[in-house]
Amino acid sequence: MRMKTVHNKNVRVPSKEVTKATKDALEKRGVKVEDIAEIVFKMQSPYNEGLLIEHCIDSVERVLCKREVQHSVLVGIELDVLAEKKLLSEPLQSIIASDEGLFGVDETLALGSVMTYGSIALTTYGHLDKNKIGIIKKLDTKSGEGVHTFLDDLVASIAACAASRIAHRTRDLEEEGETFADVPPVILDPTDKTNTDI
C-alpha cells in the first residue's frame, strides 16, 4: 500500500537556512561571493572614490539575503543540475542543456530578482548579460558537460543588484559630504538581526 505524502503549507523555512543553502549552491557550482564582488568592483570603482573590494563583498552578501534572489538562485541552479544529470523531460532537457538561443526563461528568472533593486540594476544587468564580465564569461562558455544556462544569468543579476546598492549608497554619501573612503567596509554578519539594510 502506497503512503500518501502530506504537505504542510504552514511550514516555513528559517531565513538563515535559505541564505546558507543559496551560498552553498553557488559555491558547489564554482561561484564564490568574491567572484561576484570582483564584477561589482569593476563596474563601480571608476565612479566611487575609496571603494574597496570589501565594500563590494558586503553588498553582494546583503543581496544574497533577499528572498527573491535566494529563490531565483535555488530554482535556477536546480534546473541546471537536473539538466546536467539528464533528468528533465524532452524537449526541455535539450533546450536547457544546449542553452538554446530562443530560450529566455533563464533571463526571466534572473530579471525577477533584478527588479527588486530598480532601474540601475536593470540597466547594469543588461550590460553584464551582453558583455559577460568576469566569472559570467566563464560560466557562459559552453564547454564540457557542465550546464550553466541559469547560473550565468543569476550571477549577473546578483552583481547588478549589488552594484545598484552601491550606486544608491554613493548618492547618500554625497549628500553627507562623504565618499566610500569615509566608510569602513562591514562584512554582513548573517546572525545580526539588527541589520536590516538589505
Side-chain angles (χ1 to χ4, degrees):
M1 184 170 140
R2 277 182 80 182
M3 296 285 293
K4 185 178 177 183
T5 305
V6 178
H7 300 285
N8 185 348
K9 294 185 180 181
N10 295 320
V11 172
R12 294 178 189 249
V13 182
S15 293
K16 280 202 284 189
E17 282 184 35
V18 183
T19 301
K20 183 179 184 315
T22 302
K23 289 183 185 177
D24 288 349
L26 286 167
E27 286 192 17
K28 281 180 193 170
R29 303 298 285 174
V31 178
K32 294 184 223 160
V33 166
E34 292 80 6
D35 297 325
I36 305 173
E38 283 173 18
I39 299 167
V40 177
F41 184 75
K42 185 170 185 177
M43 298 288 294
Q44 287 295 316
S45 59
Y47 313 106
N48 292 286
E49 181 188 338
L51 185 70
L52 302 173
I53 189 70
E54 288 81 7
H55 291 118
C56 300
I57 290 170
D58 182 60
S59 193
V60 171
E61 291 277 8
R62 290 170 190 270
V63 167
L64 289 173
C65 288
K66 280 284 197 187
R67 282 293 181 124
E68 294 91 339
V69 175
Q70 294 168 345
H71 295 164
S72 293
V73 168
L74 293 172
V75 169
I77 287 177
E78 190 74 13
L79 286 167
D80 280 347
V81 169
L82 290 171
E84 237 172 52
K85 294 177 177 176
K86 300 180 174 37
L87 292 175
L88 296 173
S89 303
E90 290 293 356
L92 188 60
Q93 171 64 42
S94 295
I95 291 169
I96 292 178
S98 66
D99 196 1
E100 189 176 299
L102 292 177
F103 183 72
V105 178
D106 46 344
E107 283 92 357
T108 302
L109 187 63
L111 280 168
S113 52
V114 167
M115 299 306 270
T116 308
Y117 285 89
S119 59
I120 294 172
L122 184 61
T123 55
T124 303
Y125 172 76
H127 173 76
L128 292 173
D129 187 43
K130 182 177 181 182
N131 294 291
K132 314 292 183 194
I133 296 170
I135 195 168
I136 300 168
K137 184 171 186 176
K138 180 182 172 187
L139 294 170
D140 185 60
T141 305
K142 300 177 182 81
S143 61
E145 295 297 312
V147 175
H148 302 122
T149 299
F150 286 87
L151 185 58
D152 63 328
D153 293 293
L154 291 165
V155 169
S157 76
I158 296 164
C161 293
S164 178
R165 283 190 78 260
I166 287 173
H168 283 281
R169 181 70 176 126
T170 302
R171 177 60 181 272
D172 294 340
L173 290 171
E174 283 172 0
E175 290 178 6
E176 296 164 14
E178 296 180 328
T179 68
F180 272 97
D182 302 303
V183 180
V186 179
I187 306 305
L188 180 67
D189 177 2
T191 62
D192 182 4
K193 302 287 187 196
T194 64
N195 201 327
T196 57
D197 175 29
I198 57 173

